[in-house]
Amino acid sequence: MSDQADPRDVRRGVKAEIQEFLTTRRSRITPEQAGLQIYAAGRRRVTGLKRDEVALLAGISSQYYTKLERGNAAGVSAGVIDALAKALQLDGAERAHLEDLIRAAGTTTVPRRRPAAQPVRPTIQRVLDSMVNTPAVVLNARLDILTANLLGYALFSPMLDDPVRPTNNARFVFLNPRAGEFFRQWDKVADDTIAILRAEAGRHPYDRKVSDLIGELSTRSGQFRTRWAAHNVQIHNTGTKLVHHPVVGDLDLPFESFPLAADLSQSLVTYTSEPGSPTHDGIILLASYATSTQTLTRERSLGTEQI
């Protein structure tokens, strides 16, 4: 099977994505929020902005904006993207996503095959293994766990217990009934997961592995379908994960995600704890538990199809 999706299906899909993304972005902004003076507001049929109002705010014709919203985005200039981003009050992640979609829609030839991701380098694994009191994992762009240190394996043991390989965060969140117990803020984790996958799908619309994962989740999870339809995207490099671990209980874990320069599709994610906090005590206990079960933990294969 080719790693690239069918070009005709991709182009149709990108046009639909542009339409749905722009529609959802203008629907969330009221005329008052946009600084427009509206008369006889009670007669409006929509709460958000109309197409002609977006065009007015962006300084382009209504006909041109309507054409663009329908996915006919070839030749859109950076200046128009700037104006649309301002009119629709897009944040950095949303603007980047719009640029990705417009670039894909304007591509008339199939892009070159995405370079094959590289295995996690031994030096990175050694860095992971040196972090004895910090859970750490390496993820790829579609949220597969590629590798981890001993404490990372122990922290995410409920996810790794799933026999399906490769181990994937999104599949665990939406398809595993244990996810609601493991993630104490499941709704937030679900929204964040969707936002990351949505951005990745916009960056690489021809990546079959990404589209297959989205298709699987859409088919099997109503929660995924509903949240996916919101078209939210997000840059998610830092935050706090609240989990309930089956061995040590509740943990509040600030995390940082570091892209690996040699392969930007991979990120090193670390989870830390405040010294003296209950979470810190829990991590120390988890480290002791992980050491005692080291053989079992190390034998948990992440699968051969990691990249």
Side-chain angles (χ1 to χ4, degrees):
M1 180 187 295
S2 171
D3 287 341
Q4 289 189 323
D6 185 280
R8 292 166 297 182
D9 292 341
V10 170
R11 293 190 187 105
R12 284 193 295 267
V14 168
K15 285 189 174 185
E17 290 286 324
I18 292 173
Q19 181 176 23
E20 293 165 10
F21 180 69
L22 291 175
T23 299
T24 56
R25 296 314 93 176
R26 65 181 173 84
S27 69
R28 67 182 182 174
I29 302 172
T30 65
E32 292 77 14
Q33 290 172 326
L36 295 175
Q37 186 70 39
I38 301 298
Y39 300 96
R43 300 178 184 176
R44 288 182 68 90
R45 297 181 180 178
V46 296
T47 56
L49 295 176
K50 300 176 182 178
R51 289 194 186 99
D52 59 347
E53 291 168 339
V54 176
L56 175 65
L57 290 166
I60 58 179
S61 72
S62 180
Q63 293 83 356
Y64 182 72
Y65 176 76
T66 299
K67 177 182 175 182
L68 196 158
E69 192 177 277
R70 288 174 178 167
N72 299 312
V76 176
S77 68
V80 169
I81 295 175
D82 285 339
L84 286 174
K86 183 176 180 181
L88 294 171
Q89 302 178 18
L90 304 183
D91 62 22
E94 291 169 327
R95 183 208 161 96
H97 184 60
L98 179 60
E99 289 178 326
D100 289 335
L101 293 176
I102 288 175
R103 180 170 55 252
T107 300
T108 57
T109 58
V110 179
R112 296 174 62 183
R113 184 184 302 275
R114 185 178 180 182
Q118 299 299 311
V120 176
R121 301 193 308 280
T123 52
I124 298 299
Q125 186 64 59
R126 289 198 292 271
V127 169
L128 289 172
D129 292 339
S130 71
M131 303 164 71
V132 294
N133 289 322
T134 299
V137 300
V138 173
L139 304 176
N140 65 14
R142 66 175 181 274
L143 301 179
D144 295 334
I145 297 182
L146 303 182
T147 190
N149 62 6
L150 188 63
L151 199 46
Y153 280 104
L155 176 61
F156 291 106
S157 57
M159 193 180 301
L160 294 161
D161 283 341
D162 191 325
V164 177
R165 293 295 184 262
T167 300
N168 180 270
N169 279 263
R171 192 178 286 114
F172 177 75
V173 169
F174 289 101
L175 301 183
N176 194 310
R178 299 179 67 185
E181 180 181 353
F182 183 71
F183 291 115
R184 287 152 50 207
Q185 292 181 324
W186 184 89
D187 285 313
K188 182 179 186 306
V189 171
D191 286 339
D192 290 345
T193 301
I194 289 281
I196 293 169
L197 283 181
R198 173 67 76 179
E200 176 63 10
R203 281 190 296 269
H204 298 289
Y206 288 88
D207 190 323
R208 182 181 288 276
K209 290 181 180 179
V210 174
S211 60
D212 284 351
L213 174 62
I214 293 167
E216 176 191 0
L217 297 175
S218 298
T219 300
R220 299 178 61 188
S221 171
Q223 285 278 7
F224 182 90
R225 289 193 299 273
T226 299
R227 294 166 193 269
W228 188 256
H231 285 264
N232 293 326
V233 294
Q234 184 180 4
I235 298 172
H236 198 59
N237 293 330
T238 187
T240 300
K241 281 283 193 299
L242 306 184
V243 306
H244 178 80
H245 193 275
V247 174
V248 299
D250 290 352
L251 301 171
D252 298 358
L253 295 168
F255 70 87
E256 297 287 341
S257 179
F258 305 94
L260 298 179
D263 187 341
L264 293 179
S265 69
Q266 297 179 3
S267 296
L268 169 63
V269 186
T270 62
Y271 300 85
T272 58
S273 57
E274 186 70 25
S277 67
T279 292
H280 182 75
D281 295 340
I283 289 295
I284 298 301
L285 179 60
L286 184 60
S288 176
Y289 169 79
T291 301
S292 68
T293 58
Q294 181 170 0
T295 302
L296 174 62
T297 302
R298 286 299 192 188
E299 287 176 352
R300 275 202 187 96
S301 171
L302 291 173
T304 57
E305 189 191 354
Q306 298 178 348
I307 308 300

